[in-house]
Amino acid sequence: MVRQPKKFLATIYKIWMMRHVDVPPEIADALIKQLHSSKHTAAASKKRKQPTPKHIPVVATVNHCSTRTTLVPAGAGRFRLQINTALRKAGGADAGDVISVALHLDTAPRDVPMPAELTSVLKRHPRARKEFDQLPPGHRRQLLLYYLRAKSPKARAHVTERFLDHLHERALLRQPRSKPKPKPAAARRK
């Protein structure tokens, strides 16, 4: 069943250097319902209330330019859409301008397969492998795409080194969870 895109007008605003638009609540709710119905049968979803997803995968279209992206939380149960450069240029707009946006739910898988050579590199670096496995899916995907863009052996070696440096740095910066210090006996008696 082909569903009609959810269309709306929105004003672009800027957070730091990124551009965003707020997604109307009724459109976000409709996409969430589609997401739940694509994952479960109608009978199963009636048995228990489905939790609100943290992110909603969509295909966003502005002036016939489409991109696969994700609606992200904007606080208070609302969602926002990041307007990347391609969408912004397609709309001929920037912060403060109004654009027309069409959203389709994107249920296609977004997994990027792990290259065999990277798997063998990570086997030789267990700390980096552990850190890679703990990354959120989107971060893992972006690292794999960065790695796969390098085509020549020299470029691949350079990217592999940077890839490992990034993972080792994250592992070193991760603060170990410390146990709370016990209170002195005198402080407990008060």
Side-chain angles (χ1 to χ4, degrees):
M1 174 168 127
V2 177
R3 298 184 188 237
Q4 292 297 315
K6 307 295 181 199
K7 297 179 181 180
F8 62 98
L9 296 174
T11 303
I12 300 173
Y13 61 94
K14 196 172 177 181
I15 299 176
W16 189 50
M17 59 190 281
M18 309 302 285
R19 276 57 166 198
H20 302 272
V21 296
D22 287 327
V23 177
E26 63 276 5
I27 290 179
D29 290 344
L31 290 167
I32 290 168
K33 282 182 184 177
Q34 286 180 21
L35 183 63
H36 287 314
S37 68
S38 71
K39 290 183 177 180
H40 307 289
T41 64
S45 64
K46 287 181 182 177
K47 290 181 183 176
R48 58 186 160 82
K49 187 176 184 321
Q50 298 293 322
T52 301
K54 188 171 182 177
H55 301 90
I56 305 171
V58 296
V59 174
T61 305
V62 175
N63 282 356
H64 308 292
C65 178
S66 297
T67 189
R68 292 179 81 192
T69 188
T70 305
L71 302 183
V72 297
R78 297 174 301 116
F79 287 88
R80 73 171 57 114
L81 168 70
Q82 180 184 332
I83 303 297
N84 66 19
T85 303
L87 290 177
R88 201 166 32 87
K89 288 182 178 179
D94 204 349
D97 295 333
V98 176
I99 59 170
S100 174
V101 179
L103 298 177
H104 279 283
L105 184 66
D106 182 16
T107 56
R110 295 182 176 197
D111 296 336
V112 176
M114 174 82 87
E117 65 270 15
L118 184 58
T119 301
S120 66
V121 167
L122 289 175
K123 280 183 183 176
R124 295 190 306 269
H125 299 273
R127 178 184 270 172
R129 178 60 197 222
K130 182 179 178 184
E131 189 64 31
F132 182 78
D133 291 341
Q134 291 177 350
L135 291 174
H139 194 149
R140 267 196 314 268
R141 183 175 185 277
Q142 289 303 316
L143 278 177
L144 288 171
L145 291 173
Y146 169 72
Y147 180 82
L148 291 170
R149 279 193 292 267
K151 300 298 180 197
S152 72
K154 184 178 178 182
R156 190 58 64 98
H158 175 73
V159 166
T160 300
E161 184 179 323
R162 300 234 6 228
F163 191 99
L164 290 172
D165 285 347
H166 174 72
L167 293 173
H168 283 124
E169 183 177 306
R170 284 183 59 90
L172 288 172
L173 293 176
R174 183 180 307 281
Q175 296 295 321
R177 295 183 188 231
S178 60
K179 296 179 184 175
K181 295 180 182 178
K183 293 182 180 179
R188 285 184 285 194
R189 284 187 238 143
K190 290 183 182 181

